[in-house]
Structures are given as C-alpha cells and as structure tokens.
Amino acid sequence: MSSVSHANNYCPAEIMVAFLSRDFNDSELGVIGAFSQIPWCAIRVAQALHAPNLWFVCGPSASVNSKYEKLLWSTTDYRLHVGAESRISLDTVMDMQGNPRFIDFGCYGGFQIDKYGNLNMAFIGDQKKPKFRGPGTVGIMATAWLRRSYIFTHFMSPRLFVEKVDFISGPGFMDGPGGREKIGSPSYSEGPRYVVTPIAIFDFDEETKVMRLKSVHPGHTIEEVKSRMGFTPIIPDKVPETEPPTEVELELIRSFDPDRLLPLLVR
Amino acid sequence: MSSVSHANNYCPAEIMVAFLSRDFNDSELGVIGAFSQIPWCAIRVAQALHAPNLWFVCGPSASVNSKYEKLLWSTTDYRLHVGAESRISLDTVMDMQGNPRFIDFGCYGGFQIDKYGNLNMAFIGDQKKPKFRGPGTVGIMATAWLRRSYIFTHFMSPRLFVEKVDFISGPGFMDGPGGREKIGSPSYSEGPRYVVTPIAIFDFDEETKVMRLKSVHPGHTIEEVKSRMGFTPIIPDKVPETEPPTEVELELIRSFDPDRLLPLLVR
Amino acid sequence: MESCGKKRKSKVLPLEEAAKLVEDGMMLGMGGCNSHMGPSAFAREIIRRGVKDLTIVPTNNTGYQTDILLGAGCVKSIYISYVGLDYIGPAPNFRRLAETGQLDIVELDEMGLLRGLKASAAGVDFFPLPGGIMGVDVVKLNPEFFKTVEDPFTGKKVVVVPPIRPDLAVIHVSKCDAYGNGREAGHVQDLLHFASNKVIVTTEEIVPLEDTMANYTDVTIFGRLVDAVVEVPYGAHPGECHGCYQMDEAHLKKYQKAGRDETTFKAYLDEYVYKAQNHEAYLDKVGIAGLLSTLTYHKGGKNE
Amino acid sequence: MESCGKKRKSKVLPLEEAAKLVEDGMMLGMGGCNSHMGPSAFAREIIRRGVKDLTIVPTNNTGYQTDILLGAGCVKSIYISYVGLDYIGPAPNFRRLAETGQLDIVELDEMGLLRGLKASAAGVDFFPLPGGIMGVDVVKLNPEFFKTVEDPFTGKKVVVVPPIRPDLAVIHVSKCDAYGNGREAGHVQDLLHFASNKVIVTTEEIVPLEDTMANYTDVTIFGRLVDAVVEVPYGAHPGECHGCYQMDEAHLKKYQKAGRDETTFKAYLDEYVYKAQNHEAYLDKVGIAGLLSTLTYHKGGKNE
C-alpha cells in the first residue's frame, strides 16, 4: 500500500463506502435493501475497481446488476432498472435467501444494535403499546441465512449501540457462542462480519462473539467511540486507524454520487 | 334444440369435440396437457360459440389464451404462443393446481381407465420390470385437485377400460364412494365428470361412483360399447343418442382444424 | 365464422364501483413496495366510503397506501414486515397509533409474510422456512403463526407458517387490459394476487388486448383472477408508479408531517380526501405543478 | 474513471469443455419439455465421453434428450413424471430398458417432482403437497420420498416431499449472454437452475450484454448461477427450440424406430453420435435438408 495515495477530504460515508467495497469479492452476489445508499455505492465501486464480476440484486426494485449512473435516495426507484440484466419476483427473492448457492452477503441496519450484533427494527417496550415503534423486521431475518452480513449505521449513540436489543429482528450471534446454531442457522452462514459506522469499524471476537473495535477512522479516538456506545466493546491493545479512501477510490465514489447525497446522509 | 340443424358427416373426434365444448362454461379456466388435440379444439369452439370469456392455459407451452389459428399435433409447439395473453412458469402451474381459485377443469387420458374413473399412465405389472411401461404419471394427479376433470380416449378396448387399473396415476373415485375423501381431495373437487370416447359418453353414478353409460354416438350400439370394455358399466334403461355436432359447430371445428388432424387422431 | 357475436366481457369498473367490493372487516391485501406502486387512489376512495375494521396484508414493505388507511380509522389489524415512507421517514399514523396502543399489529418478518402468501397461492396447508428462525423473537411473539414440525426426512425441527389468504387484493400497475392482464413495469408482486380470493387492479392506463398480446411475456397479473380493472391515472400518487412518474416527495413530506398528530392529520384528510370528493378532485387539489414535478426524472443535484 | 481495466469474465466454453463438468454418478438435471428445448447436443456430447451411472432429474416431461442417454448406457436411475416423444410415440429406450428391468425408475408425478425442486430452490427441508394425494399409488410406491406430517395448524395429515438438488443442471435456451443471463422464448423452466448446484446453459446464440439489457424482463435464467455458457446452434435438434426451429419430425420418427431394439439403436448411436465426432459432424450427418425442414412453420396440410 506504500505507493497508494490516500485522500483526506472525504466525508464519513465515503470512508464507510471504501471499507465495504474492499471487502466485497469478485464473483460474489450481494443483495441490498431499502435505504441502502452506502452499500449501493460500495458495490458499484467494487465492481469498477476490483470485482468486475460482482453481482447485485436491488431487493426493493427487483433489478439485477442495475447500471444506473448515480446514487439515488431510494432503492425502490424505477431508475434502478436502467441497465438491469434481469428482474426477479418477490417469491424468488425469498427463495434466494434460503438457497445456499445464492446470496453471499447483505448489508443491514437497525435502530438498536447489541454487543452480539443482533439488530432491532421492530419496537422497544410492550409490542401492544411500544415506547418506540420502528418500521418492522422487514427482510433482515436474512442475517440468519446469508453467507455473511454487514451492519452499517448512519450515526453512533448509546441508544443505538445497546447491551441487548429489545427485540431481535436480525439475528447476529444471539446470546453469544453457539447462539446461531441454536436457532438453526446453516453452518455456512457466518453472521455479521463487520459493523461499519461513521467513526469506527468493529468486528466480532472469534471466541466470545462480542463486538470488537477493529479500527477507528482518522480524526476520531477510542474514547469518543466508547462514549457513543451503550456497552463496552472489546478493545484490543492496539487499534489501528481505518484506511481512508484512496484518491482513486474517492474519485470513483464521487463519480457514482454526483449529486453528493453521501455527505447529507452521515453528517 | 328443435330448430337446430345437425351435421351427419362428422368424424368421431368431432362429436367428441362438440360434446366437450358444450360443457365448458363461460368465464371458466381450463388447462390442457400434452397430446390434447381434442380438448384444444373444444376450448376454441366453446370460446367462439358460447363462452367468449373462457380462459385456457396450454400447460406444456405455458401460454395463456393462445390464439393460434389451427390445431397442431403438439401442445408444446411454440406457435401456441401466438396471441397469448401471458405465459406462466412451471412453478406457477404447480400453484394453480392446488389453488382453489384457479383451474376449473382439465382433460386427461390414460392407457388404463377403470370403472371408478381412475387413470393409469405409469405401468402394468411390477414397477421394477413392468409388463408394459407407459410414459409416467405426468400431471394427471391434478384429477385429485381440480374442480372437475374430463377423461377422453382415442379408442375403446377391453384393455383400455379395465375393472381396476394396475396403478392409479390420476385418481377418479378411487375405490368408490368416499374414495376421494380418503385421499384428502378438496371438497370442491368433484372428480371426473364425463368419459368421452369415440363411440359413447359416460358419466358416474351419483351413489356408487361407477361409470355409467350416458349416451351412445349415432351409428353405434350399446352392445358394441359393452364389447369394447373390460368391465360392465351401469347401463340405464334408456340410453339416448349423443347429440351430434350442429352444422354450426362442425363448421367451427373445421375452421380450427384446416389440416384435418382430427380424422387422423381417431379412426 | 369464428365468432358467435357474443363478446368478451370487460372487467372495467369506475373507481367508486370497485371500491364497493371492499367490505367492513375484510382482510385486504395491499400492493406496492414502500410508497412505490401503491394503490393510493383506491385507498383514498375506501376512506371516503368509511370502511371499517379491515385487516391489512401488505406485500412486504408498505407505505402511504396503508398508512393513510390507518390514519383514517379503517383498520383494525395489520400484518407487517415493514411500514414506512422509505427515506422520507416513519409512516406517521402507523407509528402514532402503535405507540398509543390503538393498533393490533401481527409482527412478522418478510419471509414469514411472503411464505404465508405463497402457501395460499399454492393451495397448501403451510410453508416451511429455512433454518435460522427457530426461537427468534418474531417466532416467540407469534406462536399461533410460526409453528414447529419435525422434518420427516431428517428429524430436524422446522418452523412453518400457515397460508395467508386475503379476501381481496388491490394492486396498482402501469398497464392492464380490460380483461385483467396486467403488467408491472418494475418489481414483480404477482404473489399477492395469486394468494387472494378476489383481485382489483388499478392501472395508469387500460390498454387494448393487442397491446397485451404484443407484450405478453411481461404480463405478471393473471387476468382470470382479476375481478375489476380500474383506470386511475396517477393512481399511485403521491407514491411512484414505475415507468410512469416519480414520487411526489414534497407531498409525502407534507403527509409525513401531518400524520404525526391526530388533529393535523384530520385536516390533511379533510383537504385531500373528504373535500376532494373523488380522484379528479384530489388531483386538482395536488395541482398541475405537483403532478408535473413527478414527471421529471432529473431533479435536484448537479446532473439534474 | 468508471473502469479499473479489469474485465468481466466470460463464462463461454466449447461444448467439449462444458461436457467435462459432467462426472460419473452425478445427479443431472435435464431441461426441456418433451423433446422441446432439450439440451440434445449436450446429451450427445456426454455420450461421446462415455459418462456412466447418472441419475437424471428432468423438469417434468422429458423426451429425446433423456431417452438417448438411457439408450447409450449413461444412466443408472431416473426420476420421472413423464418420458416420451409427445405425439411421435413412446420414448423407445426408456420403455425397452424399463420393460427388461434394466432401469431404476423413481416413479413420481409432476407435482412431487417439481415441488421437490422448489424445496431445493427455496432452501427448505420439504414442500407440502395439496390434499388429494394421500395414499395414492405414487405415494405408496415411494415411502421414502412422500412422507406425512401433521399440519400443526389444523391437525390434518399433509404429504410432503424432500428437496431434489441436482449436482448439475443443463438447460437449452434460444439466447444467452456470456455471463449466463439466458432467455427462454417459450415455456419457463427457471425452477431447475434455481434448484441445482451447478448450471450449464446451452444456447442457440450468445448475445451481447446489450441485448440482454434491452430485453431484461424476458431473462429467466439468473446468470450468477450459471457456470458455463455454450453456443450450440441447433442444440435442441431433433427437438424444437422455441422461437428458432421446429421439431425434426422425420428424424424423431427414425430415432423412435431405432430405439425399440438394442441393435438398431447401437447403429443409430454409431451413425449420429460416435462416428459424428462432434456437433458439427452431427449436423452434417443430419444434412442441410433436414435442418431446413425445421425452419418451415407451415408444412403439410392445406394451409401450409
């Protein structure tokens, strides 16, 4: 990497895009859901830069390998059928999630994320009269089925990163080691691999399955990360800085986001 | 019917077409399988004559409401996509068979038909080394599921009309009254309604579910019918003649069969 | 000679007539994904009719078309996997009614909901889910919906869901002929109409049968299952209709704001539904500028 | 700036290379309906390779493309719902081998077979069948395939089938791009490729990606699942390829006659498969007149 020139004028969403895009491999199939601007960009950048054979399904619009030129607010937008190579029915989308040959990864979020990478999109409190009512579980049960998943967030706060989610919409490691086996997840499904946030990246400790700080984005500190979380993640002795987007990556990211939605998404 | 003028120069398949077409109701949905020249003609005639809202799915070609101009040997022929209003996937064809809203009727045959209207398309003898090997059960288990079915044959012989089929590929009334209930057929599924042959028509006795002679085609006799069967059907005291095609029906039938395949089909 | 003079019967009905097929207490299947392709005009019409006690079954994600029914008091119960207005924000009535304990929510996930619809479409008694959902919270919360059977082949425990069979489904498409052969331009939600007892299709445009035949491989709605076809230009407004117009973002933001409070939402309904006594009056109220804004693909941003 | 110089990788292989993916003892999914749309050239190529002990899983009806494999001794076992040559007559090798006890036939019906494939496509442990099959002969004959569970919702007994997951599926289409996005012109047999571990598509024509994109709603084969794309003009011959050519009725009749007897069938194989060492040689053997005859829609009969 010594000869690579890194950018320094990127916004938080852009370092997130760069990180994700590097982890998407050539010839894989990714699926993106609603409100997935960062994963969309990451896929397009990966395709352009190192993974020309990466396939993606835009779940809400049902398009496959859309080639629409620029980032949109909604992944249900019909423009995502521009350059599509096929479209798939809702029933096939369901098949895809259980079929071991199909999807390699998906990217998900929630309004609560806990230390085992479980996600809540449903509610807090009593379901019949919740303190907070979210939109619902949608398709994020897929975290139980897909080969791997990524968690991404648009902000960090102790209310988002909680010790234990009130309701598991998307299973991470459930209650820790052996948790995914208990719910019957297929053995090829590794669960959430990374948690990608505007200030840091996490992975999960191999043994305890507890969220672990992997790197902190340039300009941010471990203390800041801890202060924005409702639980203490595992913090290794040495926590490196997240690699910023390279100049090449940043130029590409911006070529896919000419309207500059990314800076508005994560402030 | 007194003012209707009947034809007398029809061939056996044509009286079969006329009979079936009269029993297909407007707004129903029929499905036809492979080797179904007679049902195809009957549907087209019904649509033209009294049932303009009759829908049909040509199973093997997957086309809906094909408007191809003339009878073909194969219902898998791509020409049956001419004028189609949609096409359906194999998976949807399966859904249709179990879905109570979908198919009103289908027309089926077999190389053995027994007195309870059960059909065999599979084999005779030991399955591992059969005396006779037929093509297989195909989709005629549908006789257990559809609202009603018709049995049609291209000839009559004691080897075709047997006391008991060696293997039930398409359930008629199984072993008699209550037989369909035992296999779990839905209550709306009435089973085979008519058996349409080149020399006679049968229905099934309401009480015993045994095949009953309903009418004999002009020029044929009850004795002839009996001699061509391996069991004795119920024969009421009075057996009418089958109503021949009207002049109008025959002209229509022939307009759909300009190549005159029907006379070759049943000799 | 090929015609008997009898003509094929059109299924076309005016919006007002088709809306009468919705009866109090029905299970109503709502098409659309988020606020895209929703039968919004149809929803407004059944609000005008004062329909009550509906159970709503959306095809997974749902938005405006369902939220407005909730806010207007038409709904008793709702099966959900997602109710929201996509990037615009929360579905305001859904959230408000839920948080004040006024809504019976059958809390499902997408797989449970859509496999229930598939079981109904296929006429089977239940549908098995992939491993990985055993004992998860949606399952715990709905023991009557998610049940467990033993796989007779392996002895493994498998979660299954029962058929979900709406009494009536309403689907919006861009093109449909008078016999119900409909084409969805974008995503394919054919599952809902296969699963339901009755089907109403609202369409931007009723096309001639010839147009259907010329594009028959794109037909996703099986006409035989359709009971009524309703021509409603801008029928998905303020949502997007794939291939026809974009979301009316300004209107949805206004809607979202109004729905946060009962009083302001009543005012919204008065203005856009009750006083606008039919779809044309609604479109008048939205105004030409609002409608035209949805026809512009490239708006905002430097490329636009 | 939008390209890294790395290029998307073509999946195109010559027929001979693709055929090497078929290994002795595999479960092989065969596309086609009767003799229509069958991967016939592919079948002939694996005969040349002397593949043994295959288990064949057809997408319901199958004809020439499977029967020739049976006659050439490539097959140990076959899942069936129908093997035949449509109106031409019985599939001769199938019948002969079955009646002489030389073939292990898993005797299914269409629903059992296709729901087994759907279970595999959906990644679920079994698929329930509609009521009406309980205790019927296909069920009695295959107690290991059709099992019964109690519906946990109603207590009713329900027959279920296990997933059928071919190691490799071979499907013939009229158009496919180099990345595996394939279009079936007629009937839609997409189920098979969703259910299988590997997929080979043989196609009349490899089309540019632009052609796929311009017709993307007609794509029925999901390219990501495809391992090899093989351009084989007349690849379904002597069967029909929807949208391209008709059945070669004369050839199929000849085939049907030859297959009734072991000796005459060996002669047929010698002539059309072994001595015709590749697909081009096969087409040479068939001859231009034979090929051209399949391009004539209106042949025979007074309109023709």
Side-chain angles (χ1 to χ4, degrees):
Chain A
M1 287 299 229
S2 58
S3 67
V4 172
S5 157
H6 287 98
N8 54 22
N9 57 337
Y10 54 87
C11 71
E14 287 168 337
I15 192 171
M16 294 170 68
V17 168
F19 177 86
L20 279 171
S21 75
R22 294 175 202 138
D23 211 58
F24 298 162
N25 300 317
D26 204 15
S27 297
E28 290 190 323
L29 171 65
V31 65
I32 62 174
F35 213 56
S36 294
Q37 297 86 354
I38 288 172
W40 182 89
C41 281
I43 284 172
R44 295 301 297 272
V45 168
Q47 285 179 325
L49 210 50
H50 67 93
N53 303 291
L54 176 61
W55 291 71
F56 80 109
V57 171
C58 194
S61 81
S63 67
V64 176
N65 287 354
S66 160
K67 291 170 195 66
Y68 190 63
E69 57 185 359
K70 62 176 188 177
L71 180 60
L72 298 169
W73 281 119
S74 172
T75 49
T76 319
D77 196 302
Y78 183 55
R79 282 175 280 183
L80 291 168
H81 281 243
V82 171
E85 297 172 14
S86 62
R87 65 171 178 174
I88 48 179
S89 72
L90 265 183
D91 192 55
T92 301
V93 176
M94 293 307 102
D95 285 359
M96 288 168 60
Q97 298 187 13
N99 189 325
R101 257 211 100 189
F102 236 117
I103 307 176
D104 292 288
F105 64 84
C107 302
Y108 302 94
F111 60 77
Q112 286 184 326
I113 301 166
D114 73 18
K115 66 176 175 181
Y116 292 120
N118 300 303
L119 303 172
N120 182 7
M121 283 273 279
F123 60 86
I124 296 172
D126 175 10
Q127 196 262 356
K128 303 221 173 296
K129 194 177 171 181
K131 272 188 286 191
F132 173 76
R133 178 65 240 189
T137 283
V138 221
I140 71 172
M141 265 303 305
T143 59
W145 299 311
L146 307 192
R147 291 191 172 270
R148 69 179 187 275
S149 54
Y150 299 91
I151 298 170
F152 69 104
T153 77
H154 291 165
F155 63 98
M156 275 198 82
S157 86
R159 285 172 60 185
L160 177 59
F161 283 82
V162 297
E163 176 76 21
K164 191 170 171 7
V165 294
D166 281 63
F167 184 91
I168 297 181
S169 294
F173 297 101
M174 298 298 293
D175 54 359
R180 293 178 68 80
E181 288 78 357
K182 258 183 276 177
I183 60 171
S185 273
S187 55
Y188 59 72
S189 176
E190 69 176 72
R193 179 179 285 184
Y194 295 123
V195 182
V196 181
T197 81
I199 64 175
I201 309 281
F202 302 83
D203 59 8
F204 293 88
D205 180 59
E206 293 73 12
E207 217 166 298
T208 62
K209 303 299 181 188
V210 168
M211 202 182 288
R212 176 173 65 189
L213 188 59
K214 177 181 157 61
S215 66
V216 175
H217 301 347
H220 298 278
T221 65
I222 294 179
E223 281 317 304
E224 186 189 356
V225 170
K226 283 165 71 177
S227 75
R228 296 225 208 155
M229 296 176 76
F231 64 90
T232 308
I234 294 174
I235 300 186
D237 293 344
K238 287 190 177 174
V239 178
E241 258 197 359
T242 312
E243 185 190 345
T246 64
E247 294 285 0
V248 170
E249 284 170 337
L250 192 64
E251 195 179 338
L252 255 176
I253 292 169
R254 292 185 179 177
S255 78
F256 287 119
D257 181 26
D259 300 339
R260 307 299 290 124
L261 308 187
L262 289 175
L264 302 173
L265 201 64
V266 180
R267 291 168 200 258
Chain B
M1 291 299 230
S2 56
S3 68
V4 172
S5 158
H6 286 98
N8 54 22
N9 57 336
Y10 55 86
C11 71
E14 287 168 336
I15 192 170
M16 294 170 67
V17 168
F19 177 85
L20 278 171
S21 74
R22 294 175 201 138
D23 211 57
F24 297 162
N25 301 315
D26 204 15
S27 297
E28 290 190 322
L29 171 65
V31 65
I32 63 174
F35 214 55
S36 293
Q37 297 87 353
I38 288 172
W40 182 89
C41 281
I43 284 173
R44 295 301 298 270
V45 168
Q47 286 179 324
L49 209 51
H50 68 92
N53 302 292
L54 175 61
W55 291 71
F56 80 108
V57 171
C58 193
S61 82
S63 67
V64 176
N65 286 354
S66 160
K67 291 171 195 65
Y68 190 63
E69 57 185 0
K70 62 176 188 176
L71 180 61
L72 299 169
W73 280 119
S74 172
T75 49
T76 319
D77 196 301
Y78 184 55
R79 284 174 280 182
L80 292 168
H81 281 244
V82 171
E85 297 172 14
S86 62
R87 65 170 177 175
I88 48 178
S89 72
L90 265 183
D91 192 55
T92 300
V93 176
M94 293 306 102
D95 285 0
M96 289 170 60
Q97 298 187 12
N99 189 324
R101 258 211 99 190
F102 236 116
I103 307 175
D104 292 288
F105 64 84
C107 302
Y108 302 94
F111 60 77
Q112 285 184 326
I113 301 166
D114 73 17
K115 67 174 175 181
Y116 292 120
N118 301 304
L119 302 172
N120 183 7
M121 283 272 279
F123 59 87
I124 296 172
D126 175 10
Q127 196 262 354
K128 303 221 173 295
K129 195 178 171 182
K131 271 186 285 189
F132 174 76
R133 176 67 239 188
T137 283
V138 219
I140 71 171
M141 265 303 304
T143 59
W145 299 312
L146 307 191
R147 292 191 172 272
R148 70 179 186 277
S149 53
Y150 299 91
I151 298 170
F152 69 105
T153 77
H154 291 164
F155 63 99
M156 275 198 83
S157 86
R159 285 171 59 184
L160 177 59
F161 284 82
V162 296
E163 176 75 22
K164 191 169 171 9
V165 294
D166 280 64
F167 184 90
I168 297 181
S169 294
F173 296 102
M174 298 297 293
D175 54 0
R180 292 178 69 80
E181 288 77 358
K182 259 182 276 177
I183 60 170
S185 271
S187 55
Y188 59 72
S189 176
E190 69 177 72
R193 181 180 283 182
Y194 296 124
V195 182
V196 182
T197 82
I199 63 174
I201 309 281
F202 302 83
D203 59 9
F204 292 87
D205 180 60
E206 294 73 12
E207 217 166 298
T208 61
K209 303 298 183 190
V210 169
M211 202 182 289
R212 177 174 63 191
L213 189 58
K214 177 181 156 62
S215 67
V216 175
H217 302 348
H220 298 278
T221 65
I222 294 179
E223 282 317 304
E224 187 190 355
V225 170
K226 282 164 71 177
S227 76
R228 296 225 207 155
M229 297 175 75
F231 64 90
T232 307
I234 293 175
I235 300 186
D237 291 346
K238 287 189 178 173
V239 178
E241 258 196 0
T242 311
E243 185 189 345
T246 64
E247 294 285 1
V248 170
E249 284 170 338
L250 191 64
E251 195 179 339
L252 255 175
I253 292 169
R254 292 185 178 177
S255 79
F256 287 118
D257 181 26
D259 299 340
R260 309 297 292 124
L261 308 188
L262 289 176
L264 301 174
L265 201 63
V266 180
R267 290 166 199 259
Chain C
M1 186 60 249
E2 292 205 16
S3 170
C4 53
K6 280 198 196 174
K7 277 181 65 181
R8 205 165 161 187
K9 203 177 153 225
S10 162
K11 295 178 177 182
V12 175
L13 282 185
L15 182 58
E16 292 73 12
E17 291 304 308
K20 290 181 186 164
L21 294 173
V22 182
E23 294 166 20
D24 291 355
M26 266 189 172
M27 180 182 273
L28 182 67
M30 285 297 272
C33 178
N34 309 322
S35 301
H36 302 248
M37 303 304 299
S40 304
F42 191 88
R44 288 186 293 268
E45 186 59 27
I46 61 179
I47 291 171
R48 291 185 194 107
R49 293 185 50 77
V51 171
K52 293 266 170 265
D53 295 331
L54 296 176
T55 293
I56 300 291
V57 174
T59 36
N60 70 334
N61 299 4
T62 193
Y64 170 94
Q65 66 275 27
T66 293
D67 190 71
I68 195 169
L69 291 177
L70 299 176
C74 303
V75 179
K76 185 185 65 184
S77 170
I78 178 170
Y79 284 61
I80 71 158
S81 75
Y82 171 97
V83 190
L85 300 182
D86 199 355
Y87 69 91
I88 305 286
N93 291 295
F94 171 71
R95 183 167 169 185
R96 180 167 50 80
L97 293 170
E99 290 179 356
T100 50
Q102 299 179 70
L103 193 59
D104 173 25
I105 299 172
V106 182
E107 188 86 37
L108 304 180
D109 69 312
E110 196 174 279
M111 185 69 89
L113 178 61
L114 294 177
R115 289 316 198 188
L117 289 172
K118 178 70 175 177
S120 173
V124 296
D125 296 288
F126 51 81
F127 203 103
L129 305 188
I133 198 167
M134 188 82 58
V136 160
D137 285 341
V138 284
V139 171
K140 282 194 217 153
L141 203 60
N142 297 286
E144 293 308 308
F145 186 81
F146 295 94
K147 298 219 177 204
T148 300
V149 300
E150 193 180 283
D151 175 359
F153 301 101
T154 64
K156 196 173 130 185
K157 296 281 179 196
V158 174
V159 176
V160 300
V161 297
I164 300 175
R165 195 161 185 87
D167 296 305
L168 174 66
V170 191
I171 294 163
H172 187 71
V173 301
S174 47
K175 292 174 196 298
C176 187
D177 66 30
Y179 312 112
N181 297 302
R183 279 177 271 159
E184 296 166 284
H187 54 214
V188 183
Q189 301 205 330
D190 56 343
L191 185 55
L192 179 61
H193 87 295
F194 286 127
S196 302
N197 278 329
K198 286 190 175 181
V199 178
I200 296 173
V201 173
T202 69
T203 177
E204 291 295 319
E205 186 187 2
I206 292 175
V207 298
L209 181 61
E210 288 70 20
D211 195 56
T212 296
M213 293 190 293
N215 297 281
Y216 78 106
T217 59
D218 281 341
V219 171
T220 57
I221 305 298
F222 193 99
R224 172 47 167 48
L225 299 181
V226 174
D227 298 275
V229 178
V230 186
E231 190 170 59
V232 197
Y234 283 100
H237 186 275
E240 178 181 12
C241 182
H242 283 171
C244 298
Y245 46 86
Q246 295 276 97
M247 264 174 41
D248 186 340
E249 194 179 286
H251 189 99
L252 276 171
K253 282 181 173 163
K254 187 177 181 176
Y255 173 88
Q256 210 267 342
K257 201 174 162 198
R260 291 181 206 161
D261 173 89
E262 197 181 328
T263 314
T264 53
F265 192 67
K266 273 207 163 28
Y268 175 92
L269 282 180
D270 267 345
E271 186 174 0
Y272 287 100
V273 182
Y274 296 121
K275 284 184 188 154
Q277 289 176 22
N278 56 36
H279 185 55
E280 288 67 27
Y282 167 84
L283 294 181
D284 266 345
K285 187 75 215 165
V286 169
I288 287 292
L291 297 181
L292 290 184
S293 76
T294 67
L295 298 181
T296 311
Y297 259 121
H298 293 277
K299 57 177 190 281
K302 72 173 183 192
N303 270 4
E304 302 178 310
Chain D
M1 189 57 249
E2 292 204 18
S3 169
C4 52
K6 279 197 197 176
K7 277 180 66 179
R8 205 164 161 188
K9 202 178 153 227
S10 162
K11 296 178 176 180
V12 175
L13 283 185
L15 181 58
E16 291 73 12
E17 291 304 309
K20 290 181 185 163
L21 295 172
V22 182
E23 294 167 18
D24 289 355
M26 267 191 171
M27 181 182 272
L28 182 66
M30 284 299 271
C33 178
N34 308 324
S35 300
H36 302 249
M37 303 303 299
S40 304
F42 192 88
R44 288 186 293 266
E45 185 59 27
I46 61 180
I47 291 170
R48 289 185 196 106
R49 292 185 51 76
V51 172
K52 292 268 170 264
D53 295 331
L54 297 176
T55 293
I56 300 291
V57 174
T59 35
N60 69 333
N61 299 4
T62 194
Y64 169 93
Q65 67 274 27
T66 293
D67 189 71
I68 194 169
L69 291 177
L70 300 176
C74 303
V75 179
K76 185 186 64 183
S77 169
I78 178 169
Y79 285 60
I80 71 157
S81 74
Y82 170 98
V83 189
L85 300 183
D86 199 356
Y87 69 92
I88 304 285
N93 291 295
F94 172 71
R95 183 167 169 186
R96 181 168 49 80
L97 293 170
E99 291 179 357
T100 51
Q102 299 180 69
L103 194 57
D104 172 26
I105 298 172
V106 183
E107 187 86 39
L108 304 180
D109 70 312
E110 194 174 280
M111 185 69 89
L113 178 61
L114 294 177
R115 288 317 197 188
L117 289 172
K118 177 71 174 177
S120 174
V124 297
D125 296 288
F126 51 82
F127 204 102
L129 305 189
I133 198 167
M134 187 82 59
V136 160
D137 284 341
V138 282
V139 171
K140 280 194 219 155
L141 202 59
N142 296 286
E144 293 307 308
F145 186 80
F146 295 94
K147 298 220 177 204
T148 301
V149 301
E150 193 179 282
D151 175 1
F153 301 102
T154 64
K156 197 173 129 187
K157 296 281 179 198
V158 174
V159 176
V160 301
V161 297
I164 300 174
R165 195 161 186 87
D167 297 306
L168 174 65
V170 190
I171 294 164
H172 187 71
V173 302
S174 48
K175 289 174 197 297
C176 186
D177 66 30
Y179 311 113
N181 298 300
R183 281 177 269 158
E184 295 165 285
H187 56 214
V188 183
Q189 302 205 330
D190 55 344
L191 185 56
L192 179 61
H193 87 293
F194 286 126
S196 300
N197 278 330
K198 285 192 174 179
V199 178
I200 296 173
V201 174
T202 68
T203 178
E204 291 296 317
E205 185 187 2
I206 292 175
V207 297
L209 181 61
E210 288 69 20
D211 195 55
T212 296
M213 294 191 292
N215 297 281
Y216 79 106
T217 60
D218 281 340
V219 171
T220 56
I221 304 299
F222 193 99
R224 173 46 167 50
L225 300 181
V226 174
D227 298 275
V229 178
V230 185
E231 191 170 59
V232 197
Y234 284 99
H237 185 277
E240 177 181 14
C241 182
H242 283 171
C244 298
Y245 45 87
Q246 297 275 96
M247 266 174 40
D248 186 339
E249 196 180 283
H251 189 99
L252 277 171
K253 283 180 173 163
K254 185 177 182 177
Y255 174 87
Q256 210 265 342
K257 201 174 161 198
R260 292 182 206 160
D261 173 88
E262 199 181 327
T263 314
T264 53
F265 192 68
K266 275 207 162 27
Y268 174 91
L269 282 180
D270 268 345
E271 184 174 3
Y272 286 100
V273 182
Y274 297 120
K275 284 184 189 156
Q277 290 177 20
N278 56 35
H279 184 56
E280 288 67 27
Y282 167 83
L283 294 181
D284 267 344
K285 188 76 214 163
V286 170
I288 288 292
L291 296 180
L292 290 183
S293 77
T294 68
L295 299 179
T296 310
Y297 260 121
H298 294 277
K299 58 175 187 284
K302 74 173 183 194
N303 270 5
E304 300 178 310

